[in-house]
Amino acid sequence: GLVGSEMCIRDSSIDIMFDEFSSFVSEEQGQKIDGIGEWMKNNNASIRIIAFSDNLTDKKADQELRKRRSEAIRKILIEKYHISPERISESTPEAMGYENKTGCNAMIVYIPENK
């Protein structure tokens, strides 16, 4: 596989897939997050997590799911890689101009270091 930094230079975002209505991080998806954790340990860049919510019609359930998905990703980065929470922001798909995808996923967007 690609080492973290190569992956990041090429892509400005990475998709993390979740099962429908779930915030469980599978081993395969966890490896993507591990790649980000490793990469973040070696630089000062930040990321933004944008969680999608399978277009649940119930707004409250929709927001809960997004929140749980963001938290699941954030938790791995903070607990496993000791990334400082200030480097991990969150945003809604709407605020970022994305459709709320129904592919059961979240997106991690890289924010390059301010040179």
Side-chain angles (χ1 to χ4, degrees):
L2 286 174
V3 296
S5 57
E6 285 175 23
M7 172 182 77
C8 301
I9 292 164
R10 207 184 62 236
D11 299 324
S12 59
S13 73
I14 189 164
D15 283 331
I16 305 295
M17 308 304 284
F18 290 93
D19 287 338
E20 198 170 8
F21 311 129
S22 167
S23 58
F24 173 75
V25 177
S26 70
E27 189 175 342
E28 186 188 351
Q29 301 305 310
Q31 286 172 352
K32 294 185 195 174
I33 300 172
D34 286 343
I36 293 161
E38 290 293 344
W39 176 75
M40 290 182 81
K41 280 201 317 200
N42 297 316
N43 64 55
N44 295 316
S46 297
I47 59 165
R48 178 172 291 141
I49 300 171
I50 301 160
F52 298 91
S53 53
D54 311 336
N55 268 336
L56 289 171
T57 44
D58 178 338
K59 274 284 164 265
K60 192 167 176 350
D62 182 284
Q63 287 176 331
E64 272 299 305
L65 184 59
R66 290 184 189 190
K67 189 164 178 281
R68 288 203 312 272
R69 288 179 172 176
S70 295
E71 281 304 313
I73 295 169
R74 173 189 285 273
K75 192 173 170 185
I76 293 170
L77 292 172
I78 293 171
E79 293 182 5
K80 191 169 174 183
Y81 292 96
H82 310 295
I83 304 302
S84 91
E86 296 77 61
R87 294 174 60 195
I88 307 170
S89 59
E90 286 167 45
S91 190
T92 63
E94 294 80 6
M96 298 294 288
Y98 294 106
E99 290 292 311
N100 185 21
K101 298 188 209 176
T102 49
C104 314
N105 64 2
M107 186 190 262
I108 294 176
V109 178
Y110 300 105
I111 304 167
E113 299 176 60
N114 296 327
K115 291 276 171 275

